[in-house]
Amino acid sequence: MASHNPHRVYISTTARSNQYLLAEFKPDAAFYQQFSSHEACYQQLAQQLFALLPQYDLRNVQLIANDKLPVVRFHQEAYTLQTEKQILFFYNPKYHEGQGIFSQPDYQARKIRVVFLATGEELRSQAAAFHSKVVQCLQAWQQQLPGTPALKLRDHQQLSYDLFAKTKGHKESYGYKLRGLYPRYKARHCALPDEHSELTYVTVTLPLTRQLKQQWLAAGAIDFSPLYQQLQQRFVEACAGKKLDRLAIVANGLTPVVRSSKWDQIEQNRELQKISFNPDCTESQLLTFWQTDKLVESAHFIIVADKDDNTEFGYGRFMNQVEDALRSFARQLEIPAERQDLIVRFYQHISYILPAA
């Protein structure tokens, strides 16, 4: 069906949408001196922010003052899980609301972050309106902050679905154009600054099953490079000839975080592997992160769009190429589509500075 319109990608109606905006700034010593303690600082900032939310109909907002990275996922139950480096927010936008403060006793945050989680239905069609409300709220909050600091603002949107949904009997699909955020917001009268950074990419997480391990690893092996080399070779081959040449493989046990090289560089900590891409660069890029002596439970495969993939119609053609590549990859690995999920996550990010009020 998708072949009749190459600018639309047909995705199962079981797909899930998420959107959140992340605002952050770095408080300096002078900022903290305006409060009796950093704990009092976080409480006052949160009170000021939360008092503004009803005016802008923002229903799920969290203030983070412990320097942990927020990760957002769809879930039928609402709960929050903290690790050393991350805060994972699980929620269903249709039902779940809330507000909270995340801080640690005797810890002064290097960054203060605010996460605005989208709520309601039809998140993609309402994304521009949600973005506008968040910006208005932040501008009002800025006026109350000491020194009215500039804020870095990131809009994260995600569409996730099982590549094998149709094989499992979910026949109904919807045709997406997947327009870029900047033209989509402009068409809905949500003004974004000319100076911004936009990044679009796809991730797939592949469990390293017993079948994959037995296929390429000898019994009792302590050198796992044959497995990783085979996965890398087949992934690159599946993407070849489809104009998909900004790739990454993360199989070192860390969670990949994909960012624009305009803001962030490649680095890692005990939980996160930060990967930086320049979507305006014309050169191909292959980044690999795995260790010969470390066998992990799953591998992450990443395909990043370049500026030419964002046509006047959107990213539909790009996603058709991505799906073709991933299906070829899955066939090479003999993944049983009836029994195993292969979750595709299509991400759109846009970042810019909200200047000092």
Side-chain angles (χ1 to χ4, degrees):
M1 186 173 183
S3 61
H4 297 305
N5 188 339
H7 298 291
R8 286 183 181 269
V9 58
Y10 290 85
I11 295 174
S12 171
T13 53
T14 59
R16 305 294 192 184
S17 293
N18 282 117
Q19 181 189 11
Y20 69 95
L21 268 70
L22 175 63
E24 64 180 40
F25 68 95
K26 294 181 179 180
D28 56 17
F31 184 94
Y32 277 116
Q33 287 173 2
Q34 305 302 310
F35 305 90
S36 59
S37 66
H38 54 268
E39 290 92 346
C41 169
Y42 309 143
Q43 289 292 333
Q44 182 172 330
L45 295 183
Q47 289 172 6
Q48 293 169 338
L49 176 65
F50 295 160
L52 293 168
L53 301 183
Q55 180 180 346
Y56 301 99
D57 192 30
L58 298 171
R59 303 180 182 183
N60 200 329
V61 179
Q62 316 293 332
L63 187 141
I64 300 176
N66 57 12
D67 291 320
K68 295 183 181 182
L69 182 73
V71 177
V72 179
R73 291 287 185 268
F74 180 95
H75 204 279
Q76 294 292 358
E77 298 180 28
Y79 65 96
T80 303
L81 173 66
Q82 291 196 60
T83 67
E84 181 183 353
K85 300 293 183 180
Q86 304 172 73
I87 303 180
L88 294 93
F89 296 99
F90 296 89
Y91 85 118
N92 184 335
K94 186 175 180 179
Y95 301 112
H96 299 143
E97 304 175 3
Q99 58 189 41
I101 307 172
F102 294 87
S103 61
Q104 295 175 208
D106 303 320
Y107 181 82
Q108 182 171 294
R110 297 186 299 275
K111 290 182 180 180
I112 293 178
R113 295 182 169 107
V114 183
V115 182
F116 297 84
L117 300 169
T119 56
E121 301 183 63
E122 304 296 334
L123 295 192
R124 288 189 66 84
S125 63
Q126 297 299 317
F130 177 65
H131 186 106
S132 295
K133 290 190 292 185
V134 170
V135 169
Q136 294 171 33
C137 180
L138 287 172
Q139 289 173 332
W141 188 52
Q142 268 182 312
Q143 296 286 347
Q144 303 180 50
L145 299 178
T148 58
L151 304 175
K152 181 186 293 185
L153 186 61
R154 294 187 174 103
D155 188 330
H156 300 259
Q157 295 183 38
Q158 178 192 142
L159 186 66
S160 58
Y161 60 97
D162 178 15
L163 186 68
F164 303 143
K166 189 173 182 179
T167 304
K168 295 183 177 69
H170 304 291
K171 305 295 185 182
E172 189 175 354
S173 64
Y174 180 82
Y176 289 86
K177 289 183 179 179
L178 302 176
R179 296 184 68 194
L181 293 187
Y182 191 84
R184 179 149 56 99
Y185 281 19
K186 184 177 179 180
R188 288 170 169 78
H189 309 290
C190 174
L192 298 175
D194 292 335
E195 183 65 25
H196 67 272
S197 176
E198 194 166 352
L199 189 65
T200 301
Y201 62 95
V202 174
T203 70
V204 172
T205 299
L206 175 70
L208 300 187
T209 60
R210 181 177 59 179
Q211 172 253 328
L212 291 176
K213 295 172 186 176
Q214 290 178 341
Q215 187 172 357
W216 288 307
L217 293 178
I222 57 175
D223 177 4
F224 307 113
S225 56
L227 171 61
Y228 298 135
Q229 288 169 350
Q230 290 289 342
L231 292 176
Q232 178 176 321
Q233 178 183 336
R234 280 158 174 71
F235 180 56
V236 172
E237 288 177 352
C239 293
K242 298 180 177 64
K243 200 177 169 290
L244 304 173
D245 52 8
R246 287 167 177 78
L247 310 174
I249 302 169
V250 178
N252 55 6
L254 304 181
T255 300
V257 177
V258 184
R259 292 288 184 262
S260 168
S261 58
K262 180 176 181 178
W263 302 105
D264 299 283
Q265 301 303 312
I266 295 174
E267 61 182 21
Q268 64 177 228
N269 57 37
R270 285 185 290 274
E271 295 182 15
L272 305 171
Q273 178 66 63
K274 187 179 290 185
I275 309 169
S276 295
F277 285 90
N278 180 359
D280 296 327
C281 179
T282 58
E283 297 180 359
S284 61
Q285 192 172 1
L286 174 63
L287 303 175
T288 59
F289 304 89
W290 48 267
Q291 300 166 219
T292 60
D293 60 346
K294 184 176 183 179
L295 182 60
V296 297
E297 294 182 358
S298 58
H300 306 277
F301 298 86
I302 299 155
I303 304 173
V304 178
D306 65 28
K307 61 180 181 180
D308 293 333
D309 291 317
N310 184 14
T311 72
E312 60 178 313
F313 303 100
Y315 287 96
R317 182 187 292 274
F318 166 75
M319 278 305 294
N320 280 315
Q321 293 170 324
V322 167
E323 284 204 354
D324 286 347
L326 293 178
R327 292 184 191 282
S328 173
F329 184 49
R331 286 194 297 271
Q332 292 184 61
L333 301 182
E334 300 178 357
I335 297 175
E338 300 83 358
R339 301 194 309 273
Q340 187 172 329
D341 290 346
L342 196 62
I343 302 300
V344 179
R345 290 189 169 92
F346 172 76
Y347 291 90
Q348 290 179 282
H349 292 181
I350 197 163
S351 307
Y352 61 91
I353 299 297
L354 197 63

